[in-house]
Amino acid sequence: HVQLVESGGGSVQAGGSLTLSCEAPGYMDRNYCMGWFRQAPEKQREGVAAIDRDGITSYADSVKGRFTISQDNTKNRLYLRMDNLKTEDTAMYCCAAGSGYVGCELEREYFTHWGQGTQVTVS
């Protein structure tokens, strides 16, 4: 598989919005599970949002109502719309892909490929 490539990160004030994008060529052709994870300094990586081929989504409690995961299968792109950002959302955000055949949950075990990440800083 070609590497996952994220973009769209940056610095924003609290209350602002950002949309992250992930190029996922070859990952969204068949069954799949796609997700976003984040890792802040000195903290463990945590799942943020996931979506499968049928469009079924799941979110971490901390982002429900503020973040929206979406996809464009025709373009092999995954998105994460982040609204009402908080300082605690500051982290490196990574795109992740899995086959989806074993399920699609916000746990690392469901994903086999990872992007390098894009930094989001909220002040």
Side-chain angles (χ1 to χ4, degrees):
H1 281 293
V2 178
Q3 187 173 354
L4 299 164
V5 180
E6 304 92 338
S7 61
S11 297
V12 64
Q13 290 188 336
S17 299
L18 281 175
T19 297
L20 305 183
S21 179
C22 173
E23 293 181 41
Y27 289 94
M28 303 173 74
D29 296 336
R30 300 179 181 179
N31 198 54
Y32 58 80
C33 174
M34 299 294 295
W36 290 97
F37 284 72
R38 66 184 181 186
Q39 187 166 17
E42 300 182 356
K43 291 188 177 181
Q44 290 188 341
R45 183 177 294 185
E46 64 170 340
V48 175
I51 188 168
D52 66 13
R53 185 176 180 84
D54 295 326
I56 297 173
T57 59
S58 58
Y59 295 92
D61 288 342
S62 58
V63 306
K64 281 181 181 176
R66 301 189 298 121
F67 289 14
T68 304
I69 189 171
S70 62
Q71 59 190 351
D72 186 335
N73 304 39
T74 62
K75 297 181 180 180
N76 286 300
R77 280 186 174 268
L78 180 73
Y79 303 96
L80 184 68
R81 168 75 180 186
M82 305 184 293
D83 294 314
N84 191 22
L85 282 161
K86 304 177 180 180
T87 55
E88 51 262 44
D89 294 319
T90 294
M92 180 71 75
Y93 284 72
C94 295
C95 175
S99 70
Y101 290 113
V102 293
C104 191
E105 303 290 342
L106 286 174
E107 300 292 340
R108 296 183 65 175
E109 63 199 63
Y110 292 92
F111 301 90
T112 54
H113 294 80
W114 300 81
Q116 294 297 307
T118 184
Q119 178 68 36
V120 172
T121 302
V122 185
S123 60

